[in-house]
């Protein structure tokens, strides 16, 4: 099943490391505002109109070569962002709301939600076996 909205569980060794902390405020503003411009006032995942979009970094992981690569920065609504970061959302008591949003956006049932979450958790466990990820920020070249 192809999902529009999925969980993106970042390996533990990469927690608290994001573009906002790596770039200057001015550089981060350029990157996030470009995503907002592409979004044109709508969540880039669920399509819901939103007055306040949030910038989200999408990463891909080359587990063979231990490379964490920035794939895109997208503008998402708060509800989609809570699903993407389901671990943090669960800690703050929002898992039920996030699960409902996941199922609505993906047109799936609770069993499919649990299956996708299980697969995301398995990928997270695998990626946590890598002690240090090399960072590929080549995506940012278009902003330099």
């Amino acid at each position: 099943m192809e999902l529009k909205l999925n969980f993106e569980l970042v390996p533990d060794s990469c927690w608290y490391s994001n573009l906002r902390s790596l770039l200057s405020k001015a550089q981060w503003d350029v990157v996030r505002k470009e995503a907002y411009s592409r979004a044109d006032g709508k969540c880039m995942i669920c399509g819901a109109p939103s007055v306040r979009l949030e910038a989200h970094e999408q990463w891909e992981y080359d587990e063979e070569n231990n490379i964490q690569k920035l794939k895109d920065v997208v503008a998402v609504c708060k509800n989609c962002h809570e699903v993407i970061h389901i671990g943090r959302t669960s800690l703050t008591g929002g898992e039920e709301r996030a699960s409902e949003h996941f199922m609505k956006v993906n047109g799936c049932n609770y069993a499919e939600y649990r299956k996708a979450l299980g697969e995301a958790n398995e990928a997270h466990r695998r990626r946590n076996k890598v002690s240090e990820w090399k960072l590929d920020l080549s995506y940012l070249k278009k902003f330099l």
Side-chain angles (χ1 to χ4, degrees):
M1 168 179 202
E2 182 76 24
L3 301 173
K4 284 175 68 172
L5 173 59
N6 213 333
F7 312 103
E8 297 178 29
L9 306 181
V10 175
D12 294 357
S13 63
C14 303
W15 285 7
Y16 309 112
S17 172
N18 55 39
L19 287 184
R20 211 172 27 252
S21 65
L22 295 172
L23 302 175
S24 71
K25 182 181 179 338
Q27 291 169 320
W28 171 241
D29 282 348
V30 168
V31 173
R32 71 183 179 86
K33 287 178 180 178
E34 188 271 343
Y36 298 152
S37 175
R38 282 185 289 136
D40 196 27
K42 294 183 187 130
C43 176
M44 294 174 80
I45 295 177
C46 73
S50 180
V51 182
R52 188 186 179 287
L53 293 168
E54 302 174 1
H56 171 68
E57 304 158 27
Q58 292 183 319
W59 298 92
E60 44 189 39
Y61 299 89
D62 175 346
E63 295 174 44
E64 201 171 295
N65 297 301
N66 302 345
I67 298 172
Q68 178 189 20
K69 181 178 182 176
L70 181 63
K71 184 174 72 172
D72 200 357
V73 175
V74 294
V76 297
C77 67
K78 182 179 188 293
N79 290 335
C80 282
H81 216 184
E82 286 183 342
V83 170
I84 291 165
H85 296 294
I86 193 68
R88 181 183 67 207
T89 302
S90 295
L91 292 174
T92 59
E95 185 177 3
E96 185 177 337
R97 182 179 61 248
S99 68
E100 289 170 6
H101 188 69
F102 177 95
M103 291 183 286
K104 176 182 162 195
V105 171
N106 290 311
C108 68
N109 60 34
Y110 187 72
E112 291 163 319
Y113 162 80
R114 295 299 304 172
K115 180 177 186 263
L117 184 56
E119 290 169 356
N121 280 321
E122 178 53 39
H124 183 250
R125 275 190 289 281
R126 243 188 4 261
R127 291 173 184 154
N128 276 339
K129 292 178 183 172
V130 175
S131 59
E132 191 172 336
W133 291 90
K134 294 174 226 133
L135 210 49
D136 178 346
L137 298 175
S138 55
Y139 170 84
L140 296 175
K141 286 180 183 171
K142 68 182 186 175
F143 298 100
L144 302 176

